[in-house]
Every structure is written in structure tokens, then in C-alpha cells.
Amino acid sequence: MRKRSEAFPVGLYGMLLFALCWLTLPAVFAPLERLLLGATCIVPRLAAQFLGAPVQAATNTPVATPAALLARIAEHDLRAPVSLQATGLVPLHCAVIATGKNGGGGQVAELLLDHSYAELAGCSELVTKGDMLLGTLATRGRGPAALDAPDDPARVLLLNHGASRPQYAAMRTADGGALRFVVRAAASVDPAPLRVDLWDDPYRAARLQRAGDPVFTIDLPELPWVPPAGLRLGSSRIWGYPGEADGAPVLLGVFVDPGIEARALSHVVLWRAAAAIAPGQRAAGLEGLHGIKRLPGVLHDLPGVSNGRHLLVVEGAVAPTAAVVHEGRLLGSANGLAFGAALMTSFTASRQRWSLLLLPDDPAAPPRELTAVVVHTEGDVVWLRWRGGERERLPNGELFTGSNGRHCPAGLRVGRAGPHATELDLLEVTVPQASGPFAVEVLDGGGP
């Protein structure tokens, strides 16, 4: 008797192979996924047309406006030391639209500006923020900017970038003296973005026990490319082992902590001669949402809306992680699908790290640039775990977005913010919630 062979399940194994490819090559199948999700969203879109019409969400007049935020940013960012003002250069305020690769200390080492290389013709290489030296403007056609075109966004190389030149600096010591040394980019695994090298007095340097001393640039007239004296680089950070009993600690190295998280930077200052500014040329980057396209759309609730997922119907293509706003207030970020549909994740349900700006109620206090991630939501209150600068109790104020890419610019209002009662690294933010459907706008900053 002949044994009958069982049929080989070609369809089953084919589906398993297809699913495996989908999981291991998500970028290849992303267009198909967006198409299928867009087709799936047609049903709730049709149902929404019969269940309700879009309305305007109720909003309250904010205590602080984006214009007030930008004005205070400019006021504090342009406070350069006398040595820099004496050069005769004119400050040029620029907004950051994106950040690049990481460098020393594992922190961001490149910034992209809202000005192109052509618009910044005649600028000095100095990039500052207040009295602090951040880095240098990249030279187009050389180094990391070798392939950049004149119309590309200008690239800033921060001091912790491997291609940045070392800076000659000094630090005042506890005994009233000073130490001179060279500050250069640290390794990515080092505890701080910058490290100290080539001390003028290695013996005194080896006996350092106090951290937190200010580090600033010094003037070397024989070198024309050295920045003016008095620009702050950060504060010293001691790295080593504690000594035994009453013995002195074992010093392994000294680093420089800039005191600001580069990923949180939203605006920087460049410098150029007044004669280099052509008539009618843009003189500042503090233009708010100027040049940003606004796509009208309607936001609908999806099943499980408490998890922060919404259906967005928009007239046009939605860029990845585009900001969804209503009357200047950030609602969340969206990703386009197909057939005019997109999915929006609300700010309260997001898990990404946001660049944010806190505008204190005290009119004399500078805005705080920080990054934060949502850790808990309860009703209209969101708890953010923040970092950036010294670990201290943040003031009460209004919270805005910082630079979160081309399609989520700085200056979008998030909500009313205040410090947590007990934990210094927590920020409580009141974010008004609204149920759809209602009219919104999706921002598109253009570019790749």
C-alpha cells in the first residue's frame, strides 16, 4: 500500500516568512503599513461625519505669550562679555531646528540652524549664548560640512565635537591664584563633555580637591583665531578616588561641565561685522513660527482615547512627528498614514524626550532650557522628569516647546508648570484636555 504524503502548508509558512520580514525590516514595509492603517481609518472617519461636527476647543488666555518668551530669550542670550562686545561685531540670533550626532560625554555635538550658510556669510566662527562659548560655525566644504551646499542649514560644531579645535582656558583656584590649561573634547564615555589637558602647573593641578570653579577663555594675541577672553566654558569637575582616612583624594582627571544640555538648546547667537549685513537681509532668527506651513485638520477620538491616541484628518501630507496645535497650544505629535489620515499621540501620552522652555513668572529670571520626558499623567496634570543645568528647584512659570525638529519649533505653549512638592527632578504641568472632534492645525517646517 502506498503511503500518502501530507500536504505542505505553503500558505502558512509563507505568512510566517512575510511576518518575519515585516518585523526585521520595518523601514522597507513602512509605506505598506501606512497604507493599510490609512485604509482602516476610513471606517471611523465615515462614522465621525455622522456622529458630530468639528468645533473649536475651549482655551484660556495664556499668562505668557510666545512673543514674551522670545523677547526674554533674546534679552539674556545677547548679554555677552565686554571683551566680545569690543570686537565691533553685531549679534545675530538664530534658532536651532535640529541636533546632530553625539560627541564628548555622550552629549549632542552638532546643531542645525534656521539660517543657511549663504545667509550667514561674513559671520565669525564664534557661537555663544550669553557669556558662554558654545562652539564654532562649521566651514562649508571642510570637515563635517564637506558635503553641505550653500542653501543647507548652517551647522554648528559644539566644543565637545571631535573636529572642534582646543580652547585655551583658565580657572581660579581656592588659594586666590589661577591655573591655565587646554580644554578639548572628551571621549564619548567620559563623565563630562570636555576634558582638561596640558596644565601650566601640573603639581598644583594634581592637588585640586574642589569642583565647580568657573572655567573661562584667556586671550592669546599671537593666535588670531583664539576667542576673546572671559567667555565662560563651564565649571570644573573632579574625577578620581577618595583618599584613605585623612589622606588626599587620588585625582585621575579634571573635566569641564558646560552646565547646559546641548539637546535642550533652542537658540544661539552668532557674530558678524555690521558691514556684512546686506539691506533687507534677515537680522534675527527669533521669528516664532515664521515660514512654518499650517495644514488644517480635524482631530477625532479613537477607542481607548484615554491612552492618548487620536485620529487626525488633514488636508495634505503629514510629516513625521509633526506638531499638532490649537491656537498656539501643543496637543501632540502626528505621523501621516494614507488617504489624508494620520495618527496623533497626545503630549500627555508621549514617551519621547522633549526639548522644553520654562518661562519663569519672575520677569527678571532667564528662561530655562531643559529636556524632559512624561513619567505620569493624572487627569489634566502631567509629571515630567527633567534634566538640564544644575539640579535645583525650578520656579513656577509657563512651559513652551523648545527645538524638537523642523516640524515642532520652539514657542508652542504646553501648559502651566511648577515644581514638584518633594522631588527636584519632577515638574508638574497642567495640560488642559479636550475631546474631539475639533479643528486643529498641523505644522510643516519643510525640508528633508
Side-chain angles (χ1 to χ4, degrees), residues 72 76 359-367 395-398 416:
R72 202 182 302 183
H76 290 272
L359 182 65
D361 293 336
D362 182 2
N396 293 316
E398 198 76 20
R416 184 71 186 164

Side-chain angles (χ1 to χ4, degrees), residues 26-377:
V28 175
F29 291 89
L32 177 60
E33 181 180 4
R34 289 194 296 267
L35 180 64
L36 294 177
L37 287 174
T40 306
C41 291
I42 293 179
V43 176
R45 286 173 58 183
L46 293 175
Q49 294 180 359
F50 299 97
L51 294 178
V55 298
Q56 296 294 328
T59 58
N60 298 322
T61 303
V63 177
T65 63
L69 170 70
L70 298 178
R72 202 182 302 183
I73 288 175
E75 176 188 356
H76 290 272
D77 285 0
L78 299 180
R79 292 181 177 179
V82 177
S83 59
L84 185 53
Q85 297 177 6
T87 60
L89 299 176
V90 177
L92 175 68
H93 217 158
C94 299
V96 177
I97 60 174
T99 57
K101 67 177 185 177
N102 292 347
Q107 295 193 18
V108 167
E110 288 187 9
L111 306 176
L112 291 183
L113 304 181
D114 66 337
H115 287 61
S116 66
Y117 290 99
E119 291 177 306
L120 298 180
C123 276
S124 164
E125 67 173 16
L126 295 177
V127 180
T128 65
K129 190 175 187 68
D131 64 345
M132 186 172 185
L133 177 64
L134 296 178
T136 58
L137 180 65
T139 302
R140 189 181 64 84
R142 293 169 53 185
L147 302 180
D148 291 353
D151 294 333
D152 287 342
R155 190 187 306 262
V156 172
L157 306 182
L158 300 180
L159 295 180
N160 65 327
H161 196 288
S164 294
R165 67 166 61 99
Q167 301 294 328
Y168 298 94
M171 174 180 67
R172 300 200 180 278
T173 56
D175 57 4
L179 286 171
R180 297 190 176 192
F181 42 82
V182 172
V183 174
R184 64 178 78 245
S188 60
V189 296
D190 283 336
L194 305 172
R195 64 183 175 90
V196 175
D197 200 1
L198 301 178
W199 297 87
D200 66 340
D201 193 338
Y203 177 76
R204 289 178 59 205
R207 300 177 62 86
L208 287 175
Q209 300 183 24
R210 187 183 69 177
D213 292 322
V215 178
F216 49 88
T217 60
I218 57 177
D219 190 17
L220 295 176
E222 60 272 16
L223 298 177
W225 47 265
V226 172
L231 289 173
R232 186 166 53 90
L233 299 179
S235 56
S236 63
R237 181 171 181 178
I238 307 298
W239 192 255
Y241 298 104
E244 296 186 15
D246 297 333
V250 179
L251 180 67
L252 297 181
V254 178
F255 296 87
V256 177
D257 189 352
I260 186 171
E261 189 174 357
R263 195 180 299 275
L265 290 171
S266 62
H267 299 84
V268 298
V269 179
L270 276 72
W271 298 82
R272 65 178 170 189
I277 303 178
Q281 189 172 7
R282 251 197 318 166
L286 293 179
E287 299 170 341
L289 303 181
H290 176 75
I292 301 290
K293 293 171 56 179
R294 297 172 178 266
L295 305 177
V298 178
L299 197 65
H300 301 275
D301 293 341
L302 287 175
V305 67
S306 59
N307 296 324
R309 302 290 283 178
H310 301 265
L311 171 63
L312 179 63
V313 181
V314 63
E315 300 176 4
V318 177
T321 65
V324 181
V325 301
H326 175 76
E327 295 186 354
R329 186 172 70 85
L330 176 72
L331 300 180
S333 59
N335 286 284
L337 300 176
F339 308 112
L343 288 178
M344 188 201 82
T345 302
S346 65
F347 176 83
T348 57
S350 65
R351 291 299 177 262
Q352 71 184 77
R353 179 162 290 277
W354 292 88
S355 171
L356 300 170
L357 284 163
L358 178 63
L359 182 65
D361 293 336
D362 182 2
R368 293 294 304 268
E369 292 177 307
L370 47 91
T371 64
V373 62
V374 176
V375 295
H376 181 66
T377 302

